[in-house]
Amino acid sequence: MFDLASPFELHKRGVMGMNQRNFSYIAKYNKREFYPNVDDKLKTKVLAMEYGLAVPQLLGVVKYQHDVKEVYKILDQHQGFCIKPAKGSGGKGILVILESNKKGYKKASGEYVSYDEVIRHISNILAGLFSLGGTADVAVIEALIEFDPVFDGLSHEGVPDIRMIVFQGYPVMSMLRLATHASDGKANLHQGAVGVGVGIADGIARSAVQFDRFVEKHPDTGKELSEIKIDGWRRLLHLSASCYEMSGLGYLGADIVLDRARGPLVLELNARPGLAIQTANRMGLLPRLKKIEAIGGRRRASVDERVEYVFKNFA
Amino acid sequence: MSERAPFFFLILALVIVGLTTIYYRHVELGVPLTTGERVTIWQIEAEISFIGKAEPVNAQLSLPNDAGFELVEEFTASPAYGVHVLRDQAFPKVVWSKRIVEGRQTLYYRGSYKEVDNAGAEAPPAKISPFDVWEEPYQSSAQTVLNDAYQRSGDRELLLLEVEKLLRSDDQNVALLLSRHSRSQVFTHLLDMAGVPSKSVGGLVLEDGRRNQSLIPLVSVYLNDSWQLYNLETPDWDQSLPILLWLQESPGLLDVEGGRNSDVVFSISRITKSTLQEAKASLNEADLFTSGLYNLPISEQNLFKGILLLPIGALVVVFLRVIIGLKCSGTFMPILIATSFIQTELLNGVLGFLLIVSTGLVIRSYLSHLNLLLVSRISAVVILVIGIIVVFTIIAFRLGLTEALTITFFPMIIMAWTIERMSILWEEEGGKEVLVQGGGSLIVAVVAYLMMDNDLIRHWAFNFLGVHALIMAAILLMGQYTGYRLLELSRFKPMTDDPLIDNKMTDN
């Protein structure tokens, strides 16, 4: 408990603390008016489609209670789908249906639920049961993501995703987030998910953490984490860099999943990304953030230019 | 740096204003920096209210008559009344009068009384007059009770204790007597019968910061050459608090002719003045700036004594969150909890808080199955909290745990929100996070309580308003602190295990 790091040592390594993140980056670069772009998942999705960013396919939206009965028209066309609240947080209220047959709808856990239960779940979403303020919400129906087999044996139950910190359009740091038994299938690091720091220029694992302490292997599957290499890294950088123009947020966290067929897809964006990514990469964020702040110039660099910059400077 | 110059100028201005007012109050006005070595003065305000009947009014208020206290100054406030303070009569009193009075009236008497250490010899009792015989069957019941007590006691002192004990028991004779007379009345009657000199008096319990108080009936008994007070009506009173005898054989506390619904309530405030300041106060009475809060009515002063502690709590919250990095649920919830700790005392407060929140969480987890909307869910939790408090109070009272009765001091709405937030947290992040944030809140509340309950800090917060300018400056400064939080030093510890070279190589 009293095993403390020296603040000067941390400073030398460019580690950013919570106060500095809030004061010097979030408050300075994220304008309030753009927050709804990321807090409302439907809005994020619509914006992403406008800007031509790849997102999980939108199958339908249920906005009003009287539309709920019509939902079978959407559901009947698809074998598997995912229903989520637009303003939900922490993975609450997400219903994943793998397939539907005579027995009903098969959930990710293997249980079956009836059509009526699906309808009730949607009604609950609309009533605001899963949104933080309890405000009325809309239900978003998305196509299932088929995970890239590269992640086999790396995640316990949940969805592995890649968190990118994007500062003024430049991806500066990234980490692969793997659900564990301790995190209950969720990919949130403070709940016990494993974070694997991934080199921002090459997509190769650097080191991994769970509960802010280094680990070598996945605690549930035992798979060696240092062997991870993510293919098609340039596309991923390109996608996350584009989130800047789309959201308007100068300091953001982009959560990206890899679909077997469609490649990287933007799952959601976060205006207050956490700091554990630094420990996962064994590297402080500040040197890179300062470097980008120093670029200056009135002309805004294009997405390609920014990705090139990352390859050149953050290798 | 230039863009932050106005900010630092503001901080500097706040610090200068704070320090100069503190200096001025201390050096020029003689307000002492510490609470020690000072005279304790009780400022008592009697607020008399009645409704005029469109007739001439003559209102009489008896004044304290206690050899253990000395009058320092007194003051009356009353719109267009003739006022006379009559001290040379047998019973001191203040009389207000006015020709035609209609509608609701409020009159004030404020007196400052100083405790006298060695009061002169108290007047021995006058000769005992023969007691009035009560009608039957009360008189014979009284005789039985007295005989019982007499049998079981050796001397006068023990007799008194025995009578007191019997009066509190559920003896049948006692029950009969109490159906007709109050406990004090029965007590004095029994003492009269036993030939022990006694008298009924009305006393005011002096406790700082109390409002809407009334006199409590007491019995003063002459025993071993001195008068001793017995309280038979309220079983659990704090014996350590001083009591100002207000009524001693005087006719009545308040007598209003020409008015109805008359009532009197007392506010009590303890001010500790240095002798120097006491002298200055009389000189500067009219000066608005220097006397500041002291000129307000006592009940408002007492209100401010509480309000002015909140900045201290806010400072604690900012410090623990920004510098230490504790997580807590709700930004200022811990301060409100801390203010209720002041009334409940620490241990009771913490236990009560844990009890309410944990019971609330259990029941709330059932509510979440009902799929309620936010507003009705919170409202249900509010009612739940009130229910929990009622149930625990009744249980505590039954078990004789009178300390636990202070559980009612918790702010219900705040508790409801706390339960609601923790329960959402539980569902979203799991029980561990609830413990982290709940524990964090409790630590913040306890630290804030310890600060707010400190005598010196209380003294400074009320008597030196400049302190609040300093607190403001400190809070603004911490609002710009971008350094590491203490808990982050532990969190990021693994990062310093690597040699520094590593970082340099990857980045350049």
Side-chain angles (χ1 to χ4, degrees):
Chain A
M1 166 119 197
F2 294 107
D3 188 17
L4 299 181
S6 145
F8 304 105
E9 288 291 306
L10 286 179
H11 184 75
K12 268 193 236 162
R13 286 167 172 75
V15 176
M16 180 160 77
M18 198 67 93
N19 291 329
Q20 189 160 20
R21 183 201 72 173
N22 293 344
F23 184 79
S24 310
Y25 291 95
I26 292 184
K28 203 162 156 190
Y29 291 102
N30 289 354
K31 285 194 191 146
R32 270 276 147 201
E33 56 183 299
F34 296 132
Y35 273 48
N37 292 351
V38 300
D39 288 343
D40 182 336
K41 281 176 200 149
L42 182 60
K43 201 162 179 190
T44 312
K45 201 179 252 309
V46 171
L47 270 173
M49 291 193 287
E50 265 176 39
Y51 279 80
L53 303 190
V55 287
Q57 195 197 343
L58 181 65
L59 304 180
V61 177
V62 185
K63 285 189 175 159
Y64 306 105
Q65 186 62 38
H66 56 80
D67 293 339
V68 170
K69 299 281 173 214
E70 309 286 303
V71 79
Y72 68 90
K73 287 182 189 161
I74 303 171
L75 302 189
D76 283 355
Q77 293 169 15
H78 305 276
Q79 266 296 305
F81 47 85
C82 169
I83 303 175
K84 42 171 92 162
K87 293 174 195 156
S89 67
K92 256 181 88 183
I94 296 181
L95 179 65
V96 178
I97 300 295
L98 297 180
E99 57 180 298
S100 48
N101 54 32
K102 294 195 291 289
K103 286 197 268 179
Y105 295 88
K106 188 180 172 190
K107 289 204 291 184
S109 60
E111 284 174 67
Y112 282 89
V113 291
S114 68
Y115 178 70
D116 286 343
E117 280 171 286
V118 174
I119 293 292
R120 183 145 37 115
H121 186 79
I122 295 175
S123 299
N124 284 341
I125 290 177
L126 296 186
L129 195 65
F130 306 107
S131 69
L132 247 194
T135 49
D137 204 352
V138 298
V140 178
I141 305 173
E142 280 180 355
L144 274 190
I145 296 157
E146 292 184 39
F147 297 112
D148 199 304
V150 76
F151 293 134
D152 280 349
L154 278 179
S155 194
H156 178 86
E157 292 171 2
V159 187
D161 69 0
I162 297 158
R163 159 63 62 87
M164 292 272 189
I165 302 283
V166 182
F167 179 54
Q168 293 193 300
Y170 294 87
V172 289
M173 213 172 258
S174 65
M175 107 180 130
L176 178 65
R177 303 190 301 178
L178 306 171
T180 62
H181 181 68
S183 78
D184 196 22
K186 288 177 184 147
N188 289 330
L189 255 64
H190 69 270
Q191 289 175 330
V194 169
V196 184
V198 176
I200 192 71
D202 51 20
I204 299 172
R206 296 167 52 91
S207 68
V209 287
Q210 187 186 25
F211 290 120
D212 289 322
R213 293 295 177 261
F214 295 123
V215 290
E216 302 290 327
K217 292 174 178 168
H218 191 283
D220 303 320
T221 64
K223 192 153 175 181
E224 201 71 42
L225 295 170
S226 57
E227 293 165 0
I228 298 173
K229 177 175 188 327
I230 300 168
D231 296 324
W233 189 248
R234 180 179 284 268
R235 251 177 100 187
L236 242 140
L237 284 184
H238 208 276
L239 182 67
S240 55
S242 314
C243 292
Y244 171 53
E245 275 86 6
M246 167 206 141
S247 65
L249 295 175
Y251 185 83
L252 68 91
D255 294 345
I256 293 172
V257 285
L258 292 183
D259 187 271
R260 187 187 313 199
R262 301 184 57 210
L265 308 175
V266 177
L267 198 60
E268 60 180 290
L269 301 181
N270 195 317
R272 307 166 198 84
L275 297 170
I277 196 168
Q278 302 180 102
T279 325
N281 278 278
R282 294 190 187 231
M283 186 195 293
L285 271 166
L286 284 174
R288 291 181 173 180
L289 297 179
K290 293 243 164 79
K291 213 165 177 175
I292 288 165
E293 278 182 311
I295 292 176
R298 266 197 279 169
R299 194 183 71 87
R300 187 186 266 186
S302 72
V303 175
D304 287 321
E305 283 168 334
R306 296 198 303 254
V307 172
E308 275 317 309
Y309 181 92
V310 169
F311 275 125
K312 222 162 77 194
N313 290 279
F314 297 153
Chain B
M1 218 52 199
S2 61
E3 61 184 277
R4 287 173 80 178
F7 175 74
F8 286 109
F9 181 74
L10 175 67
I11 300 285
L12 196 67
L14 281 172
V15 171
I16 290 173
V17 167
L19 289 180
T20 35
T21 51
I22 291 172
Y23 177 83
Y24 179 75
R25 285 191 76 79
H26 177 56
V27 176
E28 298 294 319
L29 301 177
V31 180
L33 291 173
T34 54
T35 45
E37 292 170 43
R38 288 167 340 130
V39 191
T40 301
I41 290 175
W42 294 97
Q43 231 177 57
I44 296 151
E45 185 175 271
E47 184 183 328
I48 296 141
S49 57
F50 62 88
I51 296 170
K53 293 192 288 194
E55 290 171 16
V57 156
N58 192 10
Q60 287 191 11
L61 176 76
S62 297
L63 292 182
N65 184 6
D66 190 330
F69 286 85
E70 189 188 298
L71 177 74
V72 179
E73 55 177 346
E74 60 187 353
F75 170 76
T76 55
S78 36
Y81 277 82
V83 188
H84 297 279
V85 179
L86 306 171
R87 285 211 172 270
D88 41 1
Q89 299 183 353
F91 305 110
K93 62 187 175 188
V94 55
V95 183
W96 285 271
S97 48
K98 192 175 180 182
R99 184 56 63 185
I100 296 291
V101 175
E102 191 162 11
R104 184 151 196 89
Q105 303 290 311
T106 314
L107 307 173
Y108 291 96
Y109 166 82
R110 186 199 290 178
S112 301
Y113 290 84
K114 196 161 68 178
E115 277 180 79
V116 183
D117 288 338
N118 40 358
E122 291 168 272
K127 239 182 124 221
I128 299 172
S129 47
F131 61 92
D132 307 321
V133 177
W134 284 351
E135 62 183 85
E136 291 302 335
Y138 301 101
Q139 184 59 37
S140 41
S141 288
Q143 194 62 54
T144 321
V145 173
L146 186 60
N147 290 346
D148 276 1
Y150 197 78
Q151 294 293 331
R152 292 186 217 161
S153 56
D155 58 13
R156 266 194 179 181
E157 207 168 340
L158 291 175
L159 176 70
L160 278 176
L161 289 176
E162 201 56 50
V163 171
E164 196 183 351
K165 203 169 112 192
L166 271 174
L167 285 182
R168 292 196 196 287
S169 69
D170 43 7
D171 183 281
Q172 277 192 358
N173 285 309
V174 171
L176 176 72
L177 291 171
L178 289 182
S179 67
R180 179 91 175 252
H181 305 278
S182 77
R183 248 194 204 99
S184 309
Q185 281 172 342
V186 178
F187 190 61
T188 40
H189 186 70
L190 292 178
L191 293 186
D192 282 350
M193 286 163 59
V196 179
S198 70
K199 56 188 176 185
S200 301
V201 296
L204 188 63
V205 180
L206 299 181
E207 190 178 358
D208 188 26
R210 303 310 297 266
R211 303 160 68 196
N212 286 327
Q213 299 297 297
S214 36
L215 298 188
I216 55 168
L218 297 164
V219 178
S220 184
V221 182
Y222 194 72
L223 197 69
N224 302 336
D225 297 331
S226 70
W227 289 99
Q228 295 184 7
L229 289 177
Y230 284 79
N231 182 349
L232 291 124
E233 307 293 339
T234 38
D236 38 65
W237 59 310
D238 190 349
Q239 305 255 7
S240 64
L241 295 173
I243 287 183
L244 172 65
L245 290 186
W246 199 287
L247 289 178
Q248 296 210 51
E249 297 163 72
S250 6
L253 178 61
L254 177 67
D255 179 23
V256 178
E257 289 170 30
R260 59 192 165 81
N261 290 354
S262 61
D263 190 22
V264 57
V265 291
F266 297 92
S267 303
I268 303 136
S269 174
R270 186 179 65 187
I271 41 176
T272 39
K273 284 185 176 175
S274 67
T275 27
L276 180 64
Q277 187 204 8
E278 227 185 313
K280 289 256 181 187
S282 49
L283 295 172
N284 280 346
E285 214 164 15
D287 191 334
L288 194 74
F289 174 70
T290 49
S291 50
L293 291 169
Y294 303 131
N295 259 2
L296 294 173
I298 295 181
S299 52
E300 268 69 28
Q301 282 190 32
N302 287 339
L303 211 60
F304 273 111
K305 276 185 186 169
I307 291 174
L308 287 173
L309 287 176
L310 295 181
I312 311 280
L315 182 70
V316 171
V317 169
V318 173
F319 180 80
L320 289 181
R321 287 181 68 131
V322 173
I323 310 289
I324 306 293
L326 277 183
K327 284 188 190 174
C328 54
S329 94
T331 317
F332 290 110
M333 175 274 252
I335 303 185
L336 294 166
I337 301 298
T339 48
S340 38
F341 282 174
I342 291 179
Q343 328 235 335
T344 59
E345 298 291 308
L346 190 57
L347 187 66
N348 291 326
V350 173
L351 290 179
F353 177 78
L354 291 177
L355 211 61
I356 295 177
V357 171
S358 50
T359 318
L361 276 178
V362 171
I363 308 180
R364 167 66 178 71
S365 73
Y366 168 72
L367 280 183
S368 65
H369 291 302
L370 297 181
N371 289 354
L372 299 173
L373 287 182
L374 180 82
V375 178
S376 40
R377 199 167 63 210
I378 298 274
S379 312
V381 176
V382 170
I383 298 173
L384 196 68
V385 169
I386 295 174
I388 294 171
I389 289 179
V390 169
V391 169
F392 279 128
T393 309
I394 292 173
I395 294 176
F397 187 71
R398 279 286 166 84
L399 296 179
L401 301 168
T402 42
E403 301 83 28
L405 297 181
T406 51
I407 198 170
T408 48
F409 282 113
F410 280 111
M412 323 258 166
I413 306 286
I414 300 294
M415 295 302 277
W417 268 108
T418 306
I419 290 170
E420 173 66 22
R421 259 203 216 98
M422 300 235 169
S423 137
I424 288 180
L425 204 63
W426 195 303
E427 284 167 20
E428 287 185 357
E429 316 269 315
K432 194 177 151 234
E433 192 64 20
V434 173
L435 283 186
V436 168
Q437 292 204 10
S441 309
L442 207 55
I443 291 175
V444 176
V446 169
V447 174
Y449 161 78
L450 291 177
M451 299 279 284
M452 286 156 76
D453 203 43
N454 181 298
D455 275 339
L456 190 61
I457 291 177
R458 280 170 166 263
H459 169 72
W460 274 70
F462 184 71
N463 292 302
F464 295 98
L465 295 181
V467 166
H468 299 283
L470 295 183
I471 291 178
M472 184 80 169
I475 287 177
L476 291 182
L477 268 183
M478 281 195 273
Q480 300 235 323
Y481 171 74
T482 57
Y484 300 108
R485 299 174 178 176
L486 187 64
L487 293 180
E488 280 175 348
L489 295 184
S490 145
R491 176 185 179 187
F492 290 129
K493 173 72 179 145
M495 301 202 56
T496 54
D497 297 343
D498 292 343
L500 193 58
I501 300 294
D502 189 27
N503 195 22
K504 286 268 156 74
M505 271 174 63
T506 48
D507 247 15
N508 291 321

